[in-house]
């Protein structure tokens, strides 16, 4: 039987760095960033536009990026990940599949993830709005970092029901929910998010992530602590974690 064709993909970048957000903050991962997003959040500072080229770190952790032509053959990605993992055994905890919104590349991920997972476990970073696409891939994932996108920060309508469906599927992995919060975030949004998470599972962590602008957290400590207290009244597993990679100056 002929070997099924493994699809190529346009990528934004591949690099090795420290996870700066969420419950796995501080671990080292190999990041594979995919282009495109289905949302347009007001605070977005991620370069996710598809381009004819992709940036690849020349060696794991060097910080030096080489420009390489898109699209990418899977064998090239697999060889790179295998090489970095064998050069630094045990240094990398997992592979972070990130974007943009990586679930927009379902066909590619369905073919790539089972192979990549033979090298390292898979961690998905997602905006939590594409449950059908998650369902297809869930068996190939170990961790899911999902957002509940709050209107006060994104400027977009919060899709509560879609987030609920998504979290129910993500709960088959070790998942957590990230809420990006700022001065404008009202108590009601935190209550609704905490109710939603609590209803799906009491064991899922909520991470309150204060908006960071030019390396500074824009929320006052008092307001952050109020938010933590309010969310904890409904759901006991709440952490406050800013984007730490911004302070470390890593990729
Ligand atoms: S979901 Fe993420 S990548 Fe997409 S627009 Fe929002 S912040 Fe940017």
């Amino acid at each position: 039987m002929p070997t099924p064709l493994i699809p190529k993909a346009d990528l934004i970048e591949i690099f090795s760095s420290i996870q700066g957000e969420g419950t796995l903050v501080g671990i080292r991962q190999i990041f594979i960033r995919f282009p495109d997003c289905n949302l347009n959040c007001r605070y977005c500072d991620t370069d996710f536009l598809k381009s004819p080229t992709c940036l690849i770190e020349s060696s794991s952790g060097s910080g030096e990026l080489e420009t390489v032509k898109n699209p990418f053959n899977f064998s090239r990605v697999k060889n790179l990940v295998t090489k970095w993992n064998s050069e630094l055994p045990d240094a990398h905890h997992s592979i972070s599949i990130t974007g943009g919104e990586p679930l927009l590349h379902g066909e590619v991920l369905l073919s790539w993830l089972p192979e990549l997972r033979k090298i390292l476990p898979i961690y998905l970073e997602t905006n939590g709005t594409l449950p059908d696409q998650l369902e297809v891939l869930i068996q190939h994932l170990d961790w899911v970092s999902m957002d509940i996108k709050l209107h006060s920060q994104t400027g977009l309508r919060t899709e509560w029901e879609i987030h609920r469906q998504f979290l129910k599927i993500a709960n088959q992995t070790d998942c957590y929910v990230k809420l990006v919060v700022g001065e404008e975030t009202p108590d009601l949004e935190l209550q609704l998010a905490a109710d939603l998470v609590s209803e799906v599972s009491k064991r899922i962590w909520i991470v309150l992530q204060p908006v960071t602008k030019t390396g500074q957290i824009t929320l006052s400590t008092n307001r952050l602590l109020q938010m933590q207290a309010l969310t904890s009244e409904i759901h006991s597993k709440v952490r406050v974690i800013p984007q730490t990679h911004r302070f470390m100056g890593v990729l």
Side-chain angles (χ1 to χ4, degrees):
M1 213 164 94
T3 318
L5 203 61
I6 300 188
K8 295 179 180 180
D10 287 330
L11 298 175
I12 298 285
E13 54 190 358
I14 306 181
F15 59 95
S16 161
S17 191
I18 305 299
Q19 175 57 250
E21 299 181 359
T23 53
L24 291 189
V25 68
I27 58 157
R28 186 163 174 176
Q29 294 180 313
I30 296 172
F31 291 79
I32 302 179
R33 185 181 306 284
F34 283 81
D36 305 325
C37 189
N38 57 327
L39 300 183
N40 182 18
C41 306
R42 194 165 48 204
Y43 58 75
C44 183
D45 58 0
T46 308
D47 179 12
F48 58 74
L49 290 182
K50 199 178 284 182
S51 123
T53 57
C54 158
L55 294 173
I56 307 291
E57 204 172 23
S58 54
S59 60
S60 167
S62 68
E64 288 166 16
L65 299 168
E66 289 173 2
T67 305
V68 178
K69 219 164 159 243
N70 272 323
F72 245 69
N73 268 327
F74 177 66
S75 60
R76 190 154 185 200
V77 176
K78 187 178 172 184
N79 290 344
L80 189 71
V81 172
T82 304
K83 182 167 176 283
W84 287 0
N85 190 44
S86 57
E87 284 171 352
L88 294 172
D90 300 327
H92 294 102
H93 168 275
S94 46
I95 298 168
S96 176
I97 304 294
T98 187
E101 175 46 59
L103 289 176
L104 292 173
H105 303 270
E107 191 194 343
V108 169
L109 293 178
L110 193 57
S111 145
W112 288 22
L113 293 187
E115 290 301 309
L116 290 175
R117 203 177 183 203
K118 291 176 188 164
I119 311 168
L120 284 167
I122 306 292
Y123 176 97
L124 176 75
E125 298 192 69
T126 167
N127 62 30
T129 59
L130 298 170
D132 293 347
Q133 289 82 341
L134 179 70
E135 179 92 68
V136 175
L137 293 170
I138 195 72
Q139 61 180 312
H140 305 301
L141 302 172
D142 298 284
W143 289 271
V144 174
S145 159
M146 75 163 273
D147 294 337
I148 290 182
K149 292 289 187 186
L150 301 179
H151 166 75
S152 61
Q153 294 307 306
T154 62
L156 310 169
R157 188 178 128 166
T158 303
E159 299 289 352
W160 294 104
E161 276 319 304
I162 290 175
H163 281 313
R164 190 187 316 277
Q165 283 174 39
F166 193 97
L167 185 56
K168 283 181 180 168
I169 303 165
N171 191 32
Q172 295 171 47
T173 69
D174 201 345
C175 68
Y176 80 91
V177 170
K178 182 176 76 189
L179 304 176
V180 174
V181 293
E183 286 292 351
E184 314 81 357
T185 306
D187 290 354
L188 179 62
E189 279 189 331
L190 297 172
Q191 285 160 349
L192 289 171
D195 278 337
L196 186 158
V197 177
S198 205
E199 181 203 304
V200 174
S201 168
K202 304 258 184 272
R203 70 167 190 95
I204 298 172
W205 283 98
I206 295 176
V207 172
L208 301 180
Q209 180 176 292
V211 172
T212 310
K213 282 187 189 148
T214 56
Q216 297 279 326
I217 294 171
T218 55
L219 260 176
S220 70
T221 312
N222 269 355
R223 180 63 185 138
L224 255 181
L225 291 175
Q226 274 174 5
M227 288 179 168
Q228 191 276 344
L230 182 107
T231 315
S232 302
E233 270 177 27
I234 300 167
H235 185 77
S236 65
K237 300 194 99 173
V238 180
R239 298 188 199 180
V240 177
I241 307 176
Q243 289 181 304
T244 63
H245 52 291
R246 301 212 179 258
F247 304 105
M248 289 190 277
V250 292
L251 285 175

